Amino acid sequence: MPAARVEDVAACCHELGSCGLQHRDQGPDARLEAYFDAAVDLPVLLGGLQEGLRCAGLGHLSVDVSQVVEEDWEAGWRRHFGPVQVTPRLWVRPPWAALDPAPGRIAVTIEPRMAFGTGGHESTQLCLQALEKHLRPGASCLDLGTGSGVLAIAAALLGAGRVLALDVDAVAVASARDSVRLNGLEGGVVTVREGSLAQAGAEHFDLVLANIHSQVLRPLLGAIAARLRPAGVAVLSGLLAAEEAAFRGCMEAAALRPGETLERGGWICLAGTRGA
Ligand code: SAH
């Protein structure tokens, strides 16, 4: 499969109950190994997988099935997830990977088995980079489509005064709540709520982060702009570089003035400020 799609396919396998995933190859053509319990109903699983991939716009992927004797895949799988350095001071790490404390270093701890957002995906990394740049101490922040909670937690650790994390997916909401606890932030500035923008009540934000597929994001741009405080910034990702011009047009139409573009591995992140 295209390497850029690995995390989407992984999320799909995870939803179908995979007990472990291993990304084998590097380079543009990737292979993902997903482990399931031996008692799984294989035709149902394969049907669910193809349907999930189709819904995610990933089309048909070739799937090989084999039975493996239980081995220490957990150790191998854990080896795959190490700490990821996103910016000179910001890291995302799994709970078992120790990081030496360094002055000013901020590490977000995420359990990789959780919902989308382990820090490995370019669009997540771009959002973290933009978050670090745009977040002012004490700012109020909305993380729309929080997934594992990675952006919301990073915002809190970077000094936000208030963070609202929303996701329409109940599994993601549970994961984000677990992540908040894992990072020792329970009872703190982060609130996780199931739902979309309507669940933000009447709140307005200095910063809105939304790393969601562009087809989902486009119709939400006007509502996102309306949630920004004056001089607020929307950090938008989940977009491919090829979509940049069209997406900038959509932002302008939604009264969001597009600013700089960040790019990694074919993915982009656009920051927009509220127009007059
Ligand atoms: N913020 C994380 C996860 C992004 S994945 C990161 O940057 O890595 C996108 C998430 O958006 C998914 O968890 C999905 O359930 C959620 N989502 C999709 N449409 C949404 C909507 N309209 N409102 C809120 N969340 C949405």
Side-chain angles (χ1 to χ4, degrees):
M1 75 185 83
R5 291 306 194 198
V6 167
E7 191 139 353
D8 291 327
V9 178
C12 183
C13 294
H14 179 78
E15 271 184 28
L16 290 165
S18 170
C19 50
L21 297 160
Q22 200 158 8
H23 176 192
R24 284 281 182 202
D25 304 337
Q26 300 298 326
D29 200 20
R31 178 179 169 83
L32 184 75
E33 289 186 359
Y35 296 87
F36 293 86
D37 192 282
V40 74
D41 182 333
L42 200 54
V44 170
L45 173 67
L46 291 176
L49 184 59
Q50 292 299 359
E51 177 63 11
L53 299 178
R54 198 185 54 75
C55 291
L58 296 165
H60 186 89
L61 297 176
S62 72
V63 179
D64 303 322
V65 180
S66 61
Q67 187 151 16
V68 289
V69 183
E70 193 168 345
E71 49 165 327
D72 195 8
W73 61 260
E74 177 90 21
W77 174 77
R78 284 185 169 209
R79 259 197 308 278
H80 171 63
F81 290 100
V84 177
Q85 183 171 19
V86 181
T87 71
R89 72 167 167 157
L90 190 57
W91 293 70
V92 181
R93 68 169 188 105
W96 57 83
L99 261 185
D100 293 335
R105 176 174 288 174
I106 291 176
V108 181
T109 307
I110 295 290
E111 174 64 65
R113 251 178 287 197
M114 292 180 169
F116 186 101
T118 60
H121 197 281
E122 287 86 347
S123 63
T124 307
Q125 297 178 359
L126 292 170
C127 285
L128 288 167
Q129 199 180 327
L131 167 67
E132 188 184 278
K133 177 174 174 193
H134 292 287
L135 187 82
R136 301 281 163 265
S140 65
C141 199
L142 171 66
D143 177 12
L144 185 63
T146 195
S148 65
V150 57
L151 303 180
I153 289 162
L157 297 177
L158 285 164
R162 151 88 178 143
V163 185
L164 177 60
L166 298 174
D167 204 295
V168 287
D169 177 4
V171 174
V173 169
S175 299
R177 289 192 174 132
D178 284 346
S179 302
V180 168
R181 273 189 293 276
L182 193 58
N183 287 272
L185 295 170
E186 65 272 42
V189 298
V190 183
T191 305
V192 182
R193 216 174 274 160
E194 185 172 341
S196 195
L197 279 165
Q199 294 306 312
E203 270 193 84
H204 287 75
F205 303 89
D206 299 307
L207 198 55
V208 176
L209 306 158
N211 178 16
I212 312 183
H213 278 293
S214 61
Q215 305 94 292
V216 179
L217 201 49
R218 280 178 200 219
L220 296 175
L221 289 175
I224 289 175
R227 290 288 174 171
L228 287 176
R229 290 182 172 162
V233 178
V235 169
L236 309 169
S237 194
L239 319 165
L240 294 168
E243 298 175 280
E244 179 173 355
F247 198 82
R248 279 179 173 266
C250 295
M251 286 174 72
E252 272 157 13
L256 275 173
R257 206 174 312 116
E260 89 279 10
T261 306
L262 301 175
E263 179 168 2
R264 279 189 197 199
W267 293 87
I268 57 165
C269 174
L270 280 159
T273 45
R274 210 176 119 167

